[in-house]
Amino acid sequence: MPASVLWAVDLFGRVYTLSTAGQYWELCKDVQMEFKRVSAATQCCWGIACDNQVYLYVCSSDVPIRHREEAYENQRWNPMGGFCEKLLPSDRWSWSDVSGLQHRPLDGVALPSPHWEWESDWYVDENFGGEPTEKGGWTYAMDFPATYTRDKKWNSCVRRRKWIRYRRYKSRDTWAKIPSKDDPKELPDPFNDLSVGGWEITEEPVGRLSVWAVSLQGKVWYREDVSHPNPEGSSWSLVDTPGEVVQISCGPHDLIWATLWEGQALVREGICRNNPKGSSWSIVEPPGSENGIMHVSAGVSVVWAITKDRKVWFRRGVNSHNPCGTSWIEMVGEMTMVNVGLNDQVWGISCEDRAVYFRQGVTPSELSGKTWRAIVVGRESDRSHSGSSSSLLSAGCFFGDEVRGSGSESAPSDTDASSEVERQGPEQPLPKESLDNSRNLKESLSKGPETSRNTEQSMENPCLAKGEGKAPEASSADECHSPASTPAELPWTNIDLKEPKRVSNQPAAGFPETTGLSSLGLFPLGMEEPYGADDHPLWAWVSGGGCTVEAGSVLKWFTVQPGLSPSVQTLSLSITPAQTAAWRKQIFQQLTERTKRELESFRHYEQLALLSLSCCESRKVNGRPSPQAIWSVTCKGDIFVSEPSPDLEAREHLLPCDQMFWRQMGGHLRLIEANSRGVVWGIGYDHTAWVYTGGYGGGCFQGLASSTSNIYTQSDVKSVHIYENQRWNPVTGYTSRGLPTDRYMWSDATGLQECTKAGTKPPSLQWTWVSDWYVDFSVPGGTDQEGWQYASDFPASYHGYKTMKDFVRRRCWARKCKLVTSGPWLEVAPIALGDVSIIPESADADGRGGHNIALWAVSDKGDVLCRLGVSELNPAGSSWLHVGTDQPFASVSIGACYQVWAVARDGSAFYRGSVSPSQPAGDCWYHIPSPPKQKLAQVSVGQTSVYALDENGNLWYRAGITPSYPQGSSWEHVSNNVRKVSVGPLDQVWVIANKVQGSHGLSRGTVCRRVGVQPREPKGQGWDYGIGGGWDHISVRANAIMVPKNVSREQEAHGQGPVYC
């Protein structure tokens, strides 16, 4: 997994980040601002500063944030002067939006805030439906509004053209103030809490966020139109609540919880793709009647809460269908706040020492986790500073008046210690406990390390600290033993779950005060510390919304730093040797049962590995593949490689491709691309980019036929789809009761196999579910608001709207599953990719070794990128260079002579001009007309040949390409029934055929090679069919092995053909 960051705010209002791959807190680059709290997402962070204003921090990236502004110029034909801007009174504006209802002159389109800048001036869009228009970009119709065409007809009385201008978000790696629509200088109401989430409600539109905020008056606000292309959003809208809210939390999916002043929790219901703000509120009572809820945090399927007595609670039974949950479970520890991040991982800030704690052992099967463990890393910015007792004492005096002890009564929203004193008004005097904590702090600082050790013991052993408090699960006195025990040796204990008692709880003020400040345990006076006192700051807020921690991942956050006692690392209960033995016995039994289950499913993989190893040894094929190897991927994501022989591409005595030997490599990918210098890239089903490390084996070959180095853990996530089918009934409407001849009401895409939610399993035993079933709105053809597609009958052409002739409908359901394996692959972060292409180089390409290897890619959002710094020694490259486009792209390919072709998502083709080693990004795009009535889907460029594949499986060759006219002149049809195409450095053409004629139905995805390809006949003459079915992708762009030349007299007379480099 790539490194992600944890965000936190200390009591001075300074914002820090901690990387999952790092060991030190790093101060935020913009250090001028002081913040109360922050809420992070993957690529951004929202925060509330000390002026109660909202700010946004967008992390820098190689891909800019661009937004396209559009305006339409409308004209009507006049018998006297032709087309002009004089329109009828009933017509639309001469300059308008796409609907024609809003006046939109070019000079009236302004930047939404100072954080944007124009990328270019206005220009005419000459692309219409994937095809270039006539000069001027005009499209014609009979009247407004109507269906527009690119050709002018005799009855075309109106016309329009689209003007485009891009703006770019420039405020990155800095805090940008969020303006208000009415008054850019002020918000509708000063805010005191904020939460970001909702990015997993749906994948469309890409990058949409839900931003919720709470004002000082207890009102709830929602930020409209926040998405990746518009990170600031547009405006704040008020959401009605049944009471005054003090704090709110928004999970990554559809969970939104809030707390009321009275101590109850509010749960937002009715949140969906079309209504991200929800529809109503439900009230959830606190665990006890004496101590209400003061803080909540929602995740994907969990909710954690803090009550007024600082106890930590876990809400059981929470999911999308039951957002309120069922009951409360008390957890060990006392916290001022908790935060649920990605994968339902949990962080908290202890009220004892104000340190950040991480909840270990959180897995999909055990969402409550095992134990709390302190993050004890220091701050990198202060590593060279030395501290003094005077600075420590002054820091303690400053914090002592604001940080409440564990037994102090406080208002429900006072989870941010930096703002507690500010909210104390004449009617709310400062509680006595807080003043006592301040005095206790000074006394403890003067007593030295002994008091610190006592404080650590009280935190280590909750039974001693709580006095008459409840004991977890087992009530034996052995659980509260001496502090000499070492609970850190067994952090994976699951004994800290406690059911709430229904009897009246002891008031919070009745608990004995343990300490008022973490510096007792963190900064004992007189102890020698190599760094300053500020190396271990006191934290006020933490946010893990942008931090990805996988189960079982190794973090460097828990290394004991000098000057920090190891006893504060684990906030768990001490356990007896008898409990340890019972716990170990239980774990052993569980592992034994799991091993028995998994051995049965693993035997065929072991047999497959041994069979593959024997075949490789018989053919003396061992070690890493050669740089000229042919790579392929099956429909299941398995990676295979074949070593090409010199006679593979021979014109005479051609080696049939069904005699090629393929061996499997470890890993899991969706597509793969390579070149003859050994650089290999792949893309997973989750759009993660991977680079080949030079090893071999991994996966099921680990330990049998695998290299000892360059093998790394690899994960992939993909979606399993099933369809819900219904037929219209004149009485009841659409129902799940179809005709006897209909397909299954729950089926696959073809309708031939029954697939229900309960009966559908992951692709194999190595896959595990990581989400629940959800409606997929991104299916081809579009859907309505509920995800339905309509048609006249099964099967037919589906569309996203209902007509009078539609008697059937279907809806696609998807569920994500995850695979964890190993292989010779390293992740290239952080941009997700949809396509990649590496320049193919022929064997006689002398002098190119000094240049970097050209690599182009398309991101999952459609941005075109050029990778810089790629070489044999650094196959992953150094950085991305964004190449501007007018629309999102889907496929890209670079040829051996730096000719770059691409296909947009609307099916149109483009050629990039002036690409060279000195100018790797080129200068401009040239629009290439697509084949008639076809939309292209993929393009592949060899040395001189350009092949393209359309959505209907037709393979096209671009004719007329010359050095003076590299765009070519026309498309020539080659074949149909093609799924993927790959053109190599020798202009060899290999494809994945959808189905070979005369073969069985299971042979979909067959490797085929175009035979007869010659310089004078680049389209070839026929097909050579390869082995079996089940192939999904192939790359021959690394095969530059040429046949030993036996040039005949006829070949000498005709020459070897032109080379257009």
Side-chain angles (χ1 to χ4, degrees):
M1 292 297 297
S4 54
V5 293
L6 176 71
W7 292 74
V9 183
D10 66 2
L11 290 181
F12 287 106
R14 295 172 297 193
V15 180
Y16 289 84
T17 58
L18 175 62
S19 172
T20 53
Q23 216 169 355
Y24 293 94
W25 289 100
E26 294 184 5
L27 187 63
C28 188
K29 295 181 180 180
D30 192 350
V31 297
Q32 303 298 326
M33 303 295 301
E34 295 180 357
F35 283 82
K36 292 184 177 181
R37 56 192 61 182
V38 294
S39 183
T42 304
Q43 294 294 330
C44 66
C45 182
W46 290 67
I48 298 179
C50 291
D51 58 357
N52 294 326
Q53 300 295 310
V54 178
Y55 290 81
L56 171 63
Y57 189 99
V58 179
C59 301
S60 61
S61 173
D62 294 330
V63 180
I65 297 177
R66 306 167 72 230
H67 184 82
R68 186 168 74 173
E69 297 285 356
E70 297 179 355
Y72 285 84
E73 181 183 3
N74 307 299
Q75 292 185 356
R76 178 175 287 276
W77 184 77
N78 190 303
M80 301 298 295
F83 286 98
C84 63
E85 296 182 357
K86 293 182 179 181
L87 304 177
L88 299 177
S90 59
D91 281 341
R92 56 182 61 190
W93 301 90
S94 58
W95 290 90
S96 68
D97 61 351
V98 63
S99 65
L101 301 178
Q102 295 183 1
H103 186 43
R104 194 174 176 83
L106 298 184
D107 54 0
V109 180
L111 295 173
S113 72
H115 310 304
W116 294 84
E117 62 181 0
W118 291 116
E119 192 177 84
S120 62
D121 202 353
W122 290 97
Y123 63 94
V124 175
D125 182 15
E126 297 184 352
N127 177 35
F128 180 75
E131 298 181 0
T133 62
E134 298 293 334
K135 188 175 181 179
W138 292 104
T139 58
Y140 300 86
M142 187 172 61
D143 200 357
F144 298 123
T147 302
Y148 295 88
T149 61
R150 54 193 294 266
D151 299 324
K152 181 182 177 182
K153 301 179 182 179
W154 65 271
N155 59 349
S156 299
C157 299
V158 296
R159 68 177 183 178
R160 72 172 185 180
R161 60 180 176 180
K162 180 167 61 176
W163 290 77
I164 294 177
R165 191 179 190 185
Y166 279 89
R167 52 181 167 93
R168 183 193 301 256
Y169 189 79
K170 64 179 182 179
S171 296
R172 311 192 76 163
D173 281 345
T174 184
W175 289 103
K177 185 176 180 180
I178 299 300
S180 175
K181 186 175 182 180
D182 300 327
D183 186 358
K185 297 182 180 180
E186 296 294 337
L187 291 172
D189 194 11
F191 291 160
N192 69 340
D193 191 39
L194 179 141
S195 183
V196 180
W199 55 82
E200 292 185 3
I201 295 179
T202 177
E203 297 181 356
E204 294 290 341
V206 176
R208 186 173 68 181
L209 289 178
S210 295
V211 181
W212 295 76
V214 177
S215 68
L216 293 176
Q217 298 180 1
K219 299 179 180 179
V220 175
W221 297 82
Y222 177 83
R223 187 70 177 176
E224 302 282 355
D225 303 328
V226 179
S227 61
H228 175 76
N230 187 26
E232 296 178 326
S234 58
S235 61
W236 293 100
S237 60
L238 182 64
V239 179
D240 294 331
T241 57
E244 293 186 7
V245 178
V246 296
Q247 186 257 335
I248 195 168
S249 177
C250 180
H253 193 51
D254 54 1
L255 290 182
I256 297 178
W257 280 56
T259 58
L260 295 174
W261 280 107
E262 293 79 8
Q264 298 99 337
L266 286 180
V267 181
R268 192 66 173 171
E269 295 184 345
I271 296 176
C272 61
R273 176 180 184 267
N274 300 308
N275 187 19
K277 292 193 294 185
S279 56
S280 61
W281 294 98
S282 296
I283 296 180
V284 175
E285 295 297 329
S289 58
E290 298 294 332
N291 297 292
I293 300 173
M294 59 175 286
H295 179 90
V296 292
S297 183
V300 177
S301 54
V302 298
V303 172
W304 292 67
I306 306 292
T307 52
K308 293 181 181 180
D309 56 356
R310 307 292 182 178
K311 298 298 187 298
V312 183
W313 299 84
F314 175 84
R315 188 68 175 175
R316 183 162 44 187
V318 176
N319 53 55
S320 298
H321 306 289
N322 184 23
C324 296
T326 56
S327 61
W328 292 104
I329 302 178
E330 185 179 356
M331 314 299 288
V332 164
E334 296 182 356
M335 299 284 178
T336 61
M337 63 87 61
V338 291
N339 184 264
V340 182
L342 302 177
N343 302 328
D344 285 336
Q345 303 295 324
V346 186
W347 291 264
I349 296 179
S350 174
C351 61
E352 294 286 345
D353 55 4
R354 281 288 180 173
V356 177
Y357 281 77
F358 174 66
R359 187 70 177 176
Q360 287 191 324
V362 175
T363 61
S365 60
E366 191 166 2
L367 295 172
S368 60
K370 301 287 187 180
T371 184
W372 294 104
R373 194 171 184 185
I375 298 177
V376 294
V377 298
R379 295 186 299 179
E380 189 171 10
S381 59
D382 299 332
R383 293 177 63 187
S384 60
H385 296 171
S386 61
S388 62
S389 59
S390 61
S391 62
L392 180 63
L393 183 60
S394 63
C397 294
F398 174 81
F399 293 125
D401 291 336
E402 293 188 346
V403 181
R404 298 171 185 259
S406 61
S408 60
E409 283 281 346
S410 60
S413 67
D414 292 345
T415 57
D416 185 359
S418 64
S419 60
E420 283 184 349
V421 176
E422 295 175 3
R423 298 196 188 108
Q424 297 293 340
E427 299 178 359
Q428 295 177 336
L430 190 66
K432 180 178 181 297
E433 288 80 2
S434 295
L435 302 177
D436 293 340
N437 291 338
S438 177
R439 289 191 292 268
N440 293 338
L441 166 66
K442 299 179 182 179
E443 294 175 2
S444 61
L445 289 177
S446 62
K447 290 179 182 179
E450 185 64 29
T451 307
S452 303
R453 287 190 292 269
N454 294 337
T455 304
E456 293 165 7
Q457 293 174 7
S458 66
M459 177 181 179
E460 186 80 9
N461 200 333
C463 295
L464 297 176
K466 296 181 182 179
E468 299 178 358
K470 296 175 289 184
E473 289 190 358
S475 59
S476 174
D478 293 338
E479 290 193 33
C480 301
H481 57 83
S482 64
S485 301
T486 57
E489 295 178 1
L490 290 172
W492 299 98
T493 58
N494 191 20
I495 60 174
D496 57 348
L497 301 182
K498 299 187 289 186
E499 291 287 351
K501 292 184 178 180
R502 293 306 175 187
V503 298
S504 60
N505 295 338
Q506 186 175 0
F511 283 88
E513 293 181 332
T514 56
T515 179
L517 189 61
S518 65
S519 59
L520 301 180
L522 295 178
F523 312 128
L525 193 62
M527 182 178 290
E528 294 294 334
E529 289 193 2
Y531 308 133
D534 286 340
D535 279 355
H536 310 294
L538 307 183
W539 299 105
W541 201 264
V542 64
S543 177
C547 187
T548 303
V549 179
E550 295 288 347
S553 60
V554 179
L555 300 174
K556 302 177 182 179
W557 296 349
F558 314 112
T559 304
V560 180
Q561 301 293 324
L564 180 63
S565 173
S567 62
V568 302
Q569 292 185 74
T570 305
L571 185 61
S572 62
L573 292 180
S574 302
I575 59 178
T576 64
Q579 292 169 338
T580 301
W583 171 74
R584 289 177 175 174
K585 183 178 179 180
Q586 181 183 5
I587 294 299
F588 177 76
Q589 293 176 352
Q590 294 176 353
L591 290 176
T592 303
E593 294 175 359
R594 188 179 71 177
T595 302
K596 291 180 180 179
R597 293 194 307 266
E598 294 182 351
L599 274 179
E600 296 297 329
S601 62
F602 186 75
R603 285 179 179 176
H604 69 282
Y605 284 96
E606 185 178 2
Q607 296 173 0
L608 176 63
L610 292 175
L611 179 60
S612 177
L613 179 60
S614 302
C615 295
C616 291
E617 290 180 350
S618 64
R619 288 175 167 80
K620 297 182 180 180
V621 179
N622 296 301
R624 63 171 294 176
S626 66
Q628 291 80 26
I630 300 176
W631 296 76
S632 62
V633 179
T634 67
C635 59
K636 294 184 178 181
D638 297 325
I639 306 167
F640 284 83
V641 63
S642 177
E643 297 294 339
S645 59
D647 56 349
L648 182 63
E649 301 293 342
R651 299 178 186 174
E652 299 179 359
H653 308 291
L654 186 71
L655 176 67
C657 61
D658 58 357
Q659 298 182 13
M660 299 171 59
F661 174 70
W662 296 90
R663 60 170 173 149
Q664 187 174 355
M665 301 289 291
H668 189 272
L669 296 172
R670 178 178 59 89
L671 62 86
I672 195 168
E673 285 295 322
N675 86 331
S676 58
R677 289 169 64 177
V679 177
V680 184
W681 278 51
I683 300 177
Y685 282 84
D686 58 355
H687 300 285
T688 302
W690 302 87
V691 62
Y692 178 61
T693 61
Y696 60 92
C700 61
F701 301 97
Q702 190 75 26
L704 295 175
S706 179
S707 58
T708 57
S709 60
N710 294 327
I711 301 296
Y712 303 94
T713 301
Q714 184 184 13
S715 62
D716 202 359
V717 177
K718 72 176 183 178
S719 297
V720 176
H721 297 86
I722 61 176
Y723 284 85
E724 178 185 5
N725 308 299
Q726 291 186 355
R727 178 173 287 276
W728 185 78
N729 187 295
V731 179
T732 59
Y734 285 102
T735 64
S736 299
R737 186 173 298 177
L739 299 177
T741 57
D742 277 344
R743 57 179 60 190
Y744 295 100
M745 293 296 99
W746 287 89
S747 68
D748 60 353
T750 64
L752 301 178
Q753 295 183 1
E754 185 178 12
C755 301
T756 62
K757 288 184 178 180
T760 302
K761 305 298 181 183
S764 67
L765 295 175
Q766 284 65 42
W767 292 84
T768 57
W769 295 120
V770 293
S771 73
D772 200 356
W773 290 102
Y774 62 92
V775 178
D776 187 3
F777 295 91
S778 60
V779 292
T783 66
D784 62 5
Q785 293 186 355
E786 297 181 353
W788 292 104
Q789 290 184 304
Y790 300 87
S792 58
D793 202 353
F794 297 123
S797 178
Y798 295 92
H799 44 268
Y801 52 90
K802 185 182 181 304
T803 65
M804 295 295 294
K805 298 180 181 180
D806 294 329
F807 297 99
V808 297
R809 67 178 184 178
R810 70 174 186 177
R811 179 165 57 180
C812 180
W813 291 81
R815 191 177 186 184
K816 293 182 180 179
C817 55
K818 184 175 183 179
L819 169 73
V820 179
T821 181
S822 62
W825 306 95
L826 272 178
E827 184 173 353
V828 182
I831 300 175
L833 300 182
D835 192 23
V836 65
S837 178
I838 311 174
I839 184 171
E841 300 184 8
S842 57
D844 58 350
D846 298 331
R848 293 188 182 178
H851 294 301
N852 288 332
I853 298 174
L855 186 148
W856 285 62
V858 178
S859 72
D860 61 336
K861 297 181 177 62
D863 299 298
V864 179
L865 308 169
C866 177
R867 190 68 173 177
L868 303 179
V870 179
S871 62
E872 295 97 331
L873 300 178
N874 185 24
S878 57
S879 62
W880 290 106
L881 178 62
H882 180 260
V883 181
T885 59
D886 292 340
Q887 56 184 313
F889 277 37
S891 174
V892 68
S893 180
I894 180 172
C897 301
Y898 289 89
Q899 59 274 50
V900 176
W901 286 69
V903 174
R905 289 184 179 177
D906 63 358
S908 56
F910 290 86
Y911 171 80
R912 186 71 177 177
S914 303
V915 178
S916 64
S918 59
Q919 193 176 0
D923 56 2
C924 63
W925 292 103
Y926 296 93
H927 192 175
I928 308 299
S930 302
K933 298 181 181 180
Q934 300 292 339
K935 291 184 177 181
L936 299 180
Q938 187 210 347
V939 64
S940 185
V941 187
Q943 185 175 17
T944 60
S945 299
V946 177
Y947 281 80
L949 185 67
D950 64 26
E951 295 179 346
N952 297 319
N954 297 305
L955 184 64
W956 302 85
Y957 169 76
R958 188 65 178 176
I961 296 179
T962 63
S964 59
Y965 194 66
Q967 298 95 327
S969 58
S970 62
W971 293 102
E972 296 181 1
H973 186 262
V974 178
S975 178
N976 56 11
N977 204 32
V978 178
R979 298 178 61 180
K980 294 289 178 62
V981 60
S982 179
V983 183
L986 306 178
D987 283 337
Q988 65 267 45
V989 182
W990 291 63
V991 301
I992 302 294
N994 191 37
K995 192 174 186 302
V996 177
Q997 184 177 3
S999 61
H1000 298 289
L1002 296 178
S1003 65
R1004 293 182 180 272
T1006 304
V1007 176
C1008 300
R1009 173 185 53 187
R1010 192 70 175 172
V1011 296
V1013 176
Q1014 301 180 16
R1016 299 299 180 182
E1017 194 173 356
K1019 293 171 55 179
Q1021 299 173 349
W1023 294 104
D1024 176 27
Y1025 301 119
I1027 185 173
W1031 301 93
D1032 193 60
H1033 185 88
I1034 190 169
S1035 176
V1036 298
R1037 298 171 64 78
N1039 181 21
I1041 298 179
M1042 301 183 67
V1043 183
K1045 296 183 179 179
N1046 270 334
V1047 182
S1048 62
R1049 294 181 179 179
E1050 181 181 357
Q1051 292 173 340
E1052 289 180 354
H1054 291 87
Q1056 296 298 321
V1059 176
Y1060 304 134
C1061 287

